[in-house]
Amino acid sequence: MTLAVFFGCSFIAFGPALGLCLFSVVREPLRVIILVAGAFFWLVSLLLSSLVWFIAVKASDPGDEPLQKGLLIFGVLFSVLLQEAFRFLYYKLLRKAIEGLVALSEDGCSPISIQQMAYVAGLGFGLMSGAFSMINLLADALGPGTVGIHGDSQLYFLTSAFMTMVMIFLHTFWGILFFHGCETQRWWEMVAVIFTHLIVSGLTFWNPLYLGSLIPSYLLMFATAAWAYVLSGGCTQNLLRSLQGEYLVQPHVQRRSPARDPASEG
Amino acid sequence: MLRKEPLCLRRKDLFCVAIIGFHRAVPMTELSAHLPQFQHGQLTENFPDNHLCNTNDNSERRRHDNSERRRNDNPESETNGQPQNRTQQVVEQDEEDEELTLKYGAKHVIMLFAPVTLCMVVVVATIKSVSFYTRKDGQLIYTPFTEDTDTVGQRALNSILNAAIMISVIIVMTILLVVLYKYRCYKVIHGWLIISSLLLLFFFSFIYLGEVFKTYNVAMDYITLALMIWNFGVVGMICIHWKGPLRLQQAYLIMISALMALVFIKYLPEWTAWLILAVISVYDLVAVLCPKGPLRMLVETAQERNETLFPALIYSSTMMWLVNMAEEDPEAQRKASKSSTYDKQAAANQIQNEDADLDDGGFNPEWEQQRDSRIGPLESTPESRAAVQALPSNSQASEDPEERGVKLGLGDFIFYSVLVGKASATASGDWNTTLACFVAILIGLCLTLLLLAIFKKALPALPISITFGLVFYFATDNLVQPFMDQLAFHQFYI
């Protein structure tokens, strides 16, 4: 494995997230704190789900392969549910934080909105999830070895990188959706997030049949992205305008469209 | 502690350094413990809650005064030790500070995140690349019992004894410092500080550079090496003990902390290291919160004498006012410090007032240690600070004539880096464990600041982060790593 593999996979996996961070999170101290706290919450959820899995494994027969795999699948599903539970807990915490911020601010409005918090929290979850999935792989990619020498797929690193990227994006969008569902009391949005998360994790059970896991995940990611975009106040007009660069070139056009929500991207 | 006042280097800082140099590992811990104190050092007279910040000494005395104020003040300025002129200025500023603290909350947290992260990155990068620091080349004399024993029970016993000896040495040295301070043996303290920082800047960095060259197989002659080390050391001494550009000073403090953390990582055996980390956190908690704690006594003594405890080694995010050690005259010092400031004048005034220059202000290692372990008291909660931070840009700190920075004791840097470095050196989970410890420490830092704002009294900064770090280290290494291993093997994603 070469440096090219290392850099390629790391940029595939973390490039977009890094861009998101650099352009929207790093400059604002409050967002950085929310990002790190989101990562922490994800970590705690992982810890608890690993504990449950560990206990289950220790209580079972280590030689029974199908049982171990079944326990692993159970561990994955339980971890997904726990992650969403912690996302809900984090939402509760951020809600309280907003009240505190409003109370402490000079003009009675919070310096950061719940939508922005949702975006950053989702990004925090995604980054930590991606980091935990990918970092050890990247470290191994720097060392000697041949991928798939025992007959496994040779695309292991590449597909892991792509899967990590899609998971990071998905976590970001799930954050937006979930928080929006909590805010507006639309429980189906939260259920949809949980359901989609379970589906995406379930799809990875088909690995190394990558067509079955990567492509549907990406499709789901685009669908979730569109939904999150719409929920954040975006509309196709704005999207077309931004693609055509109209916001930059013709600011007066913006004035004619008061309905545009500049906080779409948080 | 987070102080609003500008950072000001004091002799205490030097003291801390000296102490470290003197006793290698042991003083370092004390130092680090004291370092935090320094940060508090800046506490204004009324900061009784220095403990939070790290400075035990300052905190005690100042805590009460400052805590209320400071906490509400900008956390930005962790005064290095300017408490002196505070009284009046402090009073006026209290009200302002209360508002300002809220404003500067999140920004100050980030001002601490960045250097802590940088120090950890340096330590982890070194551990991963330079094998010298993970190679077992004996142990310190403070940890005489070996961990290469036949039984697990024997190993556990040995490590407990090692930790006990180390902590006793630290306590003894702290008490010695309190005694020295009480009997006004300032020259001894000063000399100690200078020797410590000389040792750190020249000897330890020479070893570090040598090992890096060995790792990368770089050929180097002694003349060039001597020139490099000489320049590095002299500029470091000037920056730390006198005046220098802020960024350079910060960089040197981070490098020093990283060097010390590396020494700890190398010479402390595994179980001993974890035990020492845990015990140091408890010690910090006790020393800061107990009425008879040495750090508290130090601060009270300093307060009685109306001296400022200057932070020997305190990382400051704003311009640091360096105390001229040779300067005995407070007036002269004020002038000197004024000239050395290239930041807010207001801060300068505050610093100026301190006349602690005469003596090192009783920055005994304990104080520093306390300070070290504690981040300066944060007056504001992250939310309030975030709220302020989030205000439109015209409320940026730069427009504030009294831009304050945040100060953190070097001991905190050192222990955080020791934890993360040890995690990266010895964990089976490797990078996952390192990352988990890193996030845990950052969150501990946040929580400490938050608690500070809520309770408005001095709280030790080391315990929460170290506890989180330890919990996450052991949990990730033993529970999460097997799970993630299995997931990666099957390429499942959660």
Side-chain angles (χ1 to χ4, degrees):
Chain A
M1 292 161 288
T2 61
L3 264 186
V5 169
F6 170 75
F7 280 112
C9 287
S10 51
F11 284 129
I12 288 174
F14 295 112
L18 202 68
L20 285 175
C21 263
L22 277 177
F23 290 118
S24 58
V25 174
V26 165
R27 306 256 166 199
E28 302 278 328
L30 193 53
R31 292 182 194 176
V32 174
I33 295 175
I34 294 176
L35 188 85
V36 176
F40 179 74
F41 270 75
W42 186 88
L43 198 59
V44 174
S45 83
L46 177 68
L47 213 102
L48 292 177
S49 51
S50 316
L51 178 67
V52 168
W53 173 81
F54 191 78
I55 293 174
V57 162
K58 286 296 176 196
S60 69
D61 171 23
D64 191 353
E65 285 298 328
L67 176 65
Q68 294 300 315
K69 189 151 187 196
L71 280 178
L72 192 64
I73 290 177
F74 159 73
V76 167
L77 299 176
F78 183 73
S79 172
V80 166
L81 294 173
L82 212 57
Q83 280 176 52
E84 298 305 327
F86 270 82
R87 206 194 294 275
F88 181 70
L89 285 175
Y90 196 37
Y91 163 75
K92 285 279 178 223
L93 183 72
L94 286 178
R95 255 260 138 262
K96 287 221 169 65
I98 281 207
E99 288 161 19
L101 285 174
V102 168
L104 293 166
S105 73
E106 289 182 340
D107 51 0
C109 67
S110 165
I112 189 171
S113 71
I114 192 74
Q115 289 87 2
Q116 293 171 356
M117 281 182 166
Y119 159 70
V120 178
L123 192 58
F125 267 60
L127 273 175
M128 203 59 181
S129 157
F132 259 65
S133 310
M134 201 62 195
I135 290 254
N136 274 336
L137 257 66
L138 290 176
D140 286 340
L142 272 177
T146 306
V147 188
I149 197 170
H150 290 297
D152 301 304
S153 166
Q154 291 183 4
L155 297 173
Y156 184 79
F157 283 135
L158 211 55
T159 51
S160 295
F162 277 107
M163 196 66 207
T164 305
M165 171 169 74
V166 85
M167 286 303 286
I168 296 179
F169 273 134
L170 276 170
H171 269 290
T172 313
F173 301 134
W174 284 332
I176 299 175
L177 286 176
F178 198 88
F179 278 43
H180 184 265
C182 292
E183 278 288 297
T184 53
Q185 307 287 323
R186 289 189 200 161
W187 307 111
W188 74 82
E189 286 179 11
M190 295 159 64
V191 168
V193 166
I194 299 175
F195 200 55
T196 333
H197 197 167
L198 284 169
I199 289 182
V200 170
S201 285
L203 284 172
T204 61
F205 296 156
W206 283 10
N207 282 336
L209 193 66
Y210 296 125
L211 279 181
S213 69
L214 275 179
I215 299 196
S217 303
Y218 271 87
L219 292 175
L220 265 172
M221 190 262 282
F222 285 122
T224 331
W227 194 4
Y229 179 67
V230 165
L231 281 183
S232 304
C235 58
T236 46
Q237 256 189 332
N238 293 343
L239 191 60
L240 287 173
R241 283 219 192 96
S242 69
L243 285 174
Q244 293 165 18
E246 280 194 18
Y247 286 142
L248 302 174
V249 175
Q250 298 164 7
H252 60 275
V253 175
Q254 295 176 7
R255 281 197 285 275
R256 288 189 212 126
S257 50
R260 181 172 52 84
D261 179 10
S264 296
E265 281 77 29
Chain B
M1 288 206 304
L2 296 180
R3 301 273 186 108
K4 297 203 297 195
E5 289 159 13
L7 199 54
C8 163
L9 267 196
R10 302 223 206 154
R11 278 178 259 181
K12 260 197 163 175
D13 300 332
L14 303 178
F15 189 17
C16 291
V17 182
I19 298 209
I20 292 180
F22 221 69
H23 287 103
R24 277 193 93 187
V26 173
M28 289 207 183
T29 51
E30 287 208 25
L31 217 75
S32 45
H34 292 291
L35 289 177
Q37 298 174 0
F38 274 128
Q39 294 201 337
H40 291 281
Q42 307 179 6
L43 292 176
T44 50
E45 289 93 353
N46 10 345
F47 270 149
D49 46 22
N50 293 338
H51 286 300
L52 258 180
C53 301
N54 297 321
T55 52
N56 301 322
D57 309 320
N58 290 334
S59 26
E60 313 255 55
R61 200 174 37 155
R62 312 257 161 108
R63 229 173 324 159
H64 298 291
D65 308 326
N66 299 331
S67 45
E68 275 107 71
R69 268 189 338 106
R70 289 264 173 173
R71 270 191 301 214
N72 302 328
D73 282 344
N74 302 324
E76 277 181 342
S77 51
E78 286 200 343
T79 52
N80 266 331
Q82 303 76 6
Q84 305 246 303
N85 48 352
R86 303 169 279 159
T87 2
Q88 289 151 359
Q89 295 178 349
V90 168
V91 172
E92 288 127 30
Q93 282 174 349
D94 283 347
E95 286 84 33
E96 298 174 359
D97 290 340
E98 300 227 6
E99 292 171 2
L100 290 172
T101 338
L102 300 183
K103 290 183 184 179
Y104 294 110
K107 189 172 173 191
H108 292 117
V109 175
I110 301 307
M111 282 190 202
L112 284 185
F113 272 14
V116 168
T117 306
L118 204 57
C119 191
M120 288 189 208
V121 162
V122 169
V123 168
V124 170
T126 307
I127 294 278
K128 286 292 181 192
S129 54
V130 179
S131 63
F132 172 74
Y133 288 103
T134 44
R135 206 165 57 221
K136 203 146 168 45
D137 284 336
Q139 298 179 202
L140 297 169
I141 56 166
Y142 303 110
T143 55
F145 297 96
T146 177
E147 284 196 12
D148 290 329
T149 57
D150 296 329
T151 66
V152 172
Q154 185 66 29
R155 185 178 185 185
L157 183 68
N158 280 0
S159 53
I160 290 174
L161 289 172
N162 278 340
I165 294 176
M166 184 74 121
I167 293 297
S168 325
V169 173
I170 290 172
I171 294 177
V172 162
M173 289 194 50
T174 303
I175 294 177
L176 182 66
L177 282 167
V178 175
V179 165
L180 275 177
Y181 182 64
K182 257 190 149 77
Y183 291 106
R184 302 178 189 268
C185 307
Y186 300 132
K187 297 259 188 272
V188 177
I189 295 176
H190 272 300
W192 211 352
L193 272 177
I194 295 265
I195 292 175
S196 291
S197 66
L198 277 174
L199 200 68
L200 258 178
L201 282 168
F202 288 95
F203 185 56
F204 289 162
S205 55
F206 166 69
I207 291 177
Y208 178 81
L209 208 56
E211 293 305 323
V212 168
F213 286 150
K214 280 185 210 166
T215 303
Y216 292 106
N217 207 18
V218 173
M220 177 64 63
D221 57 296
Y222 273 116
I223 300 175
T224 313
L225 185 67
L227 212 59
M228 280 163 62
I229 296 288
W230 172 256
N231 279 310
F232 178 79
V234 167
V235 174
M237 289 297 283
I238 291 175
C239 274
I240 293 172
H241 299 307
W242 194 47
K243 307 169 196 175
L246 180 65
R247 292 289 175 217
L248 198 59
Q249 192 176 58
Q250 293 173 341
Y252 266 105
L253 291 175
I254 291 175
M255 281 190 264
I256 281 184
S257 311
L259 281 173
M260 287 190 54
L262 286 169
V263 168
F264 272 133
I265 292 170
K266 179 175 172 63
Y267 288 108
L268 288 179
E270 253 196 79
W271 292 18
T272 310
W274 299 118
L275 269 175
I276 286 181
L277 277 172
V279 178
I280 275 267
S281 310
V282 173
Y283 168 68
D284 194 36
L285 194 68
V286 163
V288 171
L289 297 177
C290 281
K292 284 293 173 193
L295 294 176
R296 205 164 183 155
M297 280 168 46
L298 197 62
V299 175
E300 281 163 6
T301 315
Q303 281 178 335
E304 282 163 26
R305 297 182 190 171
N306 206 19
E307 287 165 353
T308 56
L309 299 171
F310 31 81
L313 289 169
I314 296 190
Y315 173 92
S316 168
S317 62
T318 53
M319 240 275 297
M320 283 181 66
W321 291 84
L322 298 178
V323 172
N324 187 351
M325 277 190 44
E327 199 65 60
E328 292 284 309
D329 178 15
E331 286 304 319
Q333 279 177 347
R334 286 197 197 122
K335 287 177 198 156
S337 39
K338 267 185 184 166
S339 54
S340 62
T341 327
Y342 49 72
D343 221 301
K344 310 304 174 177
Q345 287 76 358
N349 289 339
Q350 292 181 351
I351 302 176
Q352 297 291 344
N353 294 336
E354 293 171 354
D355 57 36
D357 303 327
L358 293 206
D359 52 40
D360 56 8
F363 278 130
N364 45 44
E366 292 164 11
W367 184 80
E368 286 158 4
Q369 184 176 15
Q370 293 254 340
R371 243 206 306 203
D372 213 20
S373 47
R374 280 173 287 189
I375 303 180
L378 296 177
E379 283 85 4
S380 57
T381 63
E383 284 84 13
S384 60
R385 277 177 277 162
V388 179
Q389 281 305 122
L391 290 177
S393 51
N394 54 15
S395 65
Q396 287 303 326
S398 53
E399 302 179 29
D400 188 334
E402 284 202 70
E403 179 160 332
R404 292 145 184 222
V406 163
K407 293 177 192 173
L408 181 61
L410 288 195
D412 289 334
F413 279 91
I414 293 171
F415 283 116
Y416 295 160
S417 306
V418 166
L419 195 144
V420 174
K422 266 282 183 219
S424 74
T426 59
S428 63
D430 231 6
W431 288 100
N432 282 350
T433 315
T434 311
L435 199 58
C437 290
F438 167 70
V439 170
I441 287 180
L442 287 187
I443 292 296
L445 206 57
C446 259
L447 275 179
T448 308
L449 296 179
L450 183 65
L451 280 180
L452 186 56
I454 290 175
F455 288 109
K456 299 205 185 305
K457 53 180 267 199
L459 296 174
L462 211 51
I464 298 181
S465 286
I466 297 290
T467 309
F468 274 17
L470 288 175
V471 164
F472 274 82
Y473 170 77
F474 288 109
T476 311
D477 209 29
N478 298 312
L479 300 175
V480 175
Q481 194 45 38
F483 187 47
M484 296 307 292
D485 252 351
Q486 283 296 303
L487 289 180
F489 180 71
H490 294 275
Q491 222 175 355
F492 291 171
Y493 277 78
I494 53 169

